[in-house]
Amino acid sequence: MKIVIVGAGYVGLVSGICFSDFGHNVVCVEKDERKLAMLAKGEIPIYEPGLDALLAKNITAGRIKFTNDLATSMEGADAVFIAVGTPTRRGDGHADLTYVFQTAKEIADTMHSGIVVVTKSTVPVGTNREIARIISKQRPGVEFHTASNPEFLREGSAIEDFMRPDRVVIGVESAHGEEVLRRIYRPLNLRETPILATDLETAEIIKYAANAFLATKITFINEIADLCEKVGGDVQQVAKGMGMDKRIGGRFLHAGPGYGGSCFPKDTLALARTGQEVDAVQSIVETVIRANNERKLAMAGKVIAACGGSVKGKRIAILGVTFKPDTDDMRDAPSLVIIPQLRKAGAEMVLCDPQGHMESATMFPDETWADNAYDAAKNADAVVVITEWNAFRGLDLARLKAGMSEAIFVDLRNIYTYREMDAADFQYFPIGKRQRKST
Ligand code: UDX
């Protein structure tokens, strides 16, 4: 099959490379010259484990190309995927659909009869129908098929999520649209991946509902963690006990500093906004958004409390700034709230992150950077883990402590235990466990 992908951002790039690995002939259309130049050389503009090797393999096999020329790319294509960004519109929380509609117009200009126009970008309910309207208005009489194919991949495990998804959702309106998408995803049949074929609106809502539900799960366990800190109990054990109930499941129940990233914050806001507009208020989602914002601020308070009520003049080593490990993505990262709050409270910080440095150097203009956790902790009063990179999971605690002025360890991801921290003589402050004096 010949597939065109418009937009080589996270979703477009991963989808394009994985589709080419399925054996399809893929052309990715990207307007950003810098990105395009990198991709043409086989370089990946984002950090995603394994993606560079998969790209190299498929470039060599001649199955994937990058260009800024949509018209030529469309020749002979079976399907064109819209995978451009839908950022939060400033001011109102709505998804900004400018790029999606612009792409729809460009597709209309260049398409041939019979093509399937698939939206992979996360778009609010009703958008696919609007895309269809724009295209038919521009090219009346030319037959095309609209489809919605939301993407559920996570950064850091994007290839695995794409190649071994729990399900593929396709929203379609015609037998041909369904048939083409089923053929595109046929390689997943071997793994018996369920394909849910439904209508456009349902597919659009599934994506938002799934993300909002996961964000709710995280926010729920975060509040239970606060409760544990007050009354005793260990949130990790609580999550384990809850998760053993198959109706609940154990995943996405890790308490932490609040969710971030390119999807949950943006998609929960957009869902809440749609609900308000159509008078179907999503009160749970609205509460989740508020609680998650407050949590990021509260985490700075937790660090200040751990440091005895003030961080004025204190030196703090921050381990991890990206919104989660195995990505260089800083979008809505809890660190973007916690670090400025601590700075406001008078702390001086040394930051360390295996990937975040390049992306975030301008976001934290007042802080310095260290290459590793030990250097970051030199002369520090406290160490704070914000992101659970593997590099921070197995630290030599004695070595870490030896360089520090005071031995305070705030673990916002629960990657250590009281036992380990007691043995190393740290004052340990995890999430969701009653504070006790470490010896
Ligand atoms: C998410 C969805 O998982 C994915 O299906 C969708 O397509 C895009 O959004 P992603 O943002 O890449 O993926 O990361 P994810 O692993 O879901 O984590 C999102 C945020 O939640 C991170 O900040 C992470 O630290 C946090 N999180 C996740 C928790 O705090 N606890 C958990 O148990 C899980």
Side-chain angles (χ1 to χ4, degrees):
M1 303 223 101
K2 177 171 175 188
I3 299 172
V4 175
I5 312 255
V6 184
Y10 219 103
V11 167
L13 199 54
V14 172
S15 310
I17 295 173
C18 290
F19 280 151
S20 68
D21 204 59
F22 285 175
H24 301 308
N25 177 9
V26 175
V27 185
C28 289
V29 181
E30 172 59 52
K31 284 187 176 160
D32 183 326
E33 288 299 331
R34 187 189 65 94
K35 262 192 205 170
L36 205 54
M38 288 181 78
L39 289 164
K41 286 187 277 176
E43 291 168 17
I44 304 271
I46 50 172
Y47 175 73
E48 179 62 38
L51 203 56
D52 44 2
L54 203 62
L55 174 62
K57 173 181 161 201
N58 286 288
I59 288 182
T60 309
R63 286 193 292 254
I64 187 162
K65 279 197 303 231
F66 298 91
T67 171
N68 56 10
D69 178 1
L70 178 65
T72 312
S73 311
M74 291 283 278
E75 282 164 18
D78 298 284
V80 53
F81 283 74
I82 301 176
V84 293
T86 52
T88 300
R89 199 160 65 191
R90 203 171 285 188
D92 64 2
H94 232 304
D96 184 346
L97 299 174
T98 315
Y99 304 120
V100 171
F101 293 146
Q102 178 61 32
T103 305
K105 286 183 190 151
E106 290 169 13
I107 288 173
D109 275 342
T110 52
M111 71 182 190
H112 51 265
S113 175
I115 194 151
V116 183
V117 181
V118 193
T119 307
K120 229 187 206 317
S121 307
T122 300
V123 291
V125 60
T127 307
N128 274 284
R129 223 161 272 290
E130 180 60 14
I131 291 172
R133 201 191 57 77
I134 290 172
I135 297 177
S136 344
K137 191 168 159 221
Q138 204 154 318
R139 295 289 298 282
V142 179
E143 185 211 10
F144 67 96
H145 305 263
T146 317
S148 161
N149 174 217
E151 186 45 63
F152 298 94
L153 56 84
R154 287 164 303 168
E155 295 184 16
S157 51
I159 298 173
E160 176 72 10
D161 286 352
F162 197 96
M163 300 287 197
R164 297 174 191 275
D166 289 341
R167 78 310 207 181
V168 171
V169 173
I170 52 177
V172 282
E173 293 216 287
S174 67
H176 179 72
E178 180 173 342
E179 147 83 8
V180 166
L181 276 158
R182 283 190 185 276
R183 275 170 59 200
I184 290 173
Y185 283 103
R186 187 151 58 201
L188 297 182
N189 288 354
L190 279 175
R191 303 197 172 112
E192 296 184 356
T193 303
I195 294 190
L196 175 66
T198 179
D199 59 70
L200 296 176
E201 284 76 11
T202 305
E204 290 167 337
I205 296 174
I206 286 172
K207 170 69 197 210
Y208 279 100
N211 273 357
F213 194 83
L214 291 170
T216 303
K217 223 175 158 184
I218 296 167
T219 308
F220 182 87
I221 201 67
N222 284 343
E223 289 197 341
I224 295 291
D226 288 345
L227 186 73
C228 290
E229 286 179 23
K230 291 275 161 49
V231 301
D234 176 333
V235 74
Q236 284 174 298
Q237 296 284 314
V238 174
K240 200 169 179 183
M242 285 171 65
M244 284 169 174
D245 185 328
K246 289 196 182 67
R247 294 169 301 175
I248 298 174
R251 297 174 69 190
F252 278 69
L253 279 181
H254 297 291
Y259 62 77
S262 61
C263 292
F264 287 173
K266 168 172 82 70
D267 296 349
T268 45
L269 262 182
L271 182 60
R273 189 75 198 136
T274 305
Q276 286 163 5
E277 275 183 8
V278 300
D279 202 14
V281 170
Q282 301 297 298
S283 62
I284 293 175
V285 180
E286 289 184 5
T287 304
V288 164
I289 295 167
R290 204 190 59 237
N292 193 62
N293 288 339
E294 285 167 4
R295 182 162 189 85
K296 293 179 187 174
L297 279 174
M299 291 300 109
K302 185 177 170 77
V303 175
I304 294 169
C307 292
S310 169
V311 289
K312 205 167 171 52
K314 299 239 157 122
R315 192 178 167 89
I316 300 178
I318 301 283
L319 306 189
V321 296
T322 52
F323 85 93
K324 67 172 198 177
D326 291 326
T327 176
D328 59 1
D329 202 331
M330 288 297 298
R331 281 175 283 182
D332 278 300
S335 66
L336 292 172
V337 175
I338 298 170
I339 293 172
Q341 277 300 113
L342 292 176
R343 165 61 58 180
K344 227 164 67 191
E348 192 187 302
M349 281 159 284
V350 185
L351 318 181
C352 171
D353 189 289
Q355 284 293 332
H357 191 170
M358 294 302 286
E359 286 293 315
S360 61
T362 52
M363 298 176 188
F364 306 117
D366 299 323
E367 318 308 339
T368 48
W369 288 85
D371 287 341
N372 60 60
Y374 305 104
D375 287 349
K378 225 165 254 164
N379 302 320
D381 298 287
V383 167
V384 179
V385 175
I386 300 185
T387 316
E388 70 278 33
W389 284 91
N390 276 341
F392 306 140
R393 285 175 180 271
L395 294 172
D396 176 342
L397 296 176
R399 182 177 161 207
L400 192 76
K401 182 169 177 271
M404 294 177 66
S405 309
E406 263 197 83
I408 296 168
F409 197 110
V410 185
D411 183 359
L412 301 182
R413 297 287 184 170
N414 283 342
I415 57 178
Y416 288 95
T417 61
Y418 269 117
R419 206 147 60 91
E420 291 163 306
M421 285 291 161
D422 286 351
D425 209 10
F426 266 99
Q427 276 192 68
Y428 183 54
F429 299 85
I431 290 278
K433 297 172 197 199
R434 177 137 68 176
Q435 188 52 43
R436 64 180 168 88
K437 184 100 193 80
S438 311
T439 47

